[in-house]
Amino acid sequence: MGRACYHPCETACNRAKLDAAVSIHAVERFLGDLAIRERWPLPAPGRSTGKRVLVVGGGPSGLAAAYHLTIAGTRSRSARRPRRSEA
């Protein structure tokens, strides 16, 4: 399981003015590791709607969109812009 969150919210966390920022990165890592260890079930893809979607971008938002579309029964495909060295 990969890690997609680069936790930009921690530097802007208002809690840091009181004591320390909430380490959302650590919380998400803990939950992800616990899910793997405990073998939490993942929802099965939904019944096919017959629709197809192209998700542009493979960052956290694009991956989340493709995941939720799949769970909803929509076929999704991810695409990204080629790097300059690939073009």
Side-chain angles (χ1 to χ4, degrees), residues 31-69:
L31 289 173
D33 291 343
L34 180 64
I36 291 169
R37 189 172 58 249
E38 301 276 330
R39 298 178 188 246
W40 290 358
L42 293 173
R47 189 173 174 174
S48 178
T49 62
K51 297 178 181 177
R52 299 181 334 183
V53 174
L54 176 66
V55 177
V56 179
S61 298
L63 293 174
Y67 171 79
H68 288 288
L69 286 164

Side-chain angles (χ1 to χ4, degrees), residues 3-4 55-66 77-81:
R3 311 278 183 210
V55 177
V56 179
S61 298
L63 293 174
R77 179 173 171 220
S78 294
R80 65 173 177 81
R81 185 182 337 181

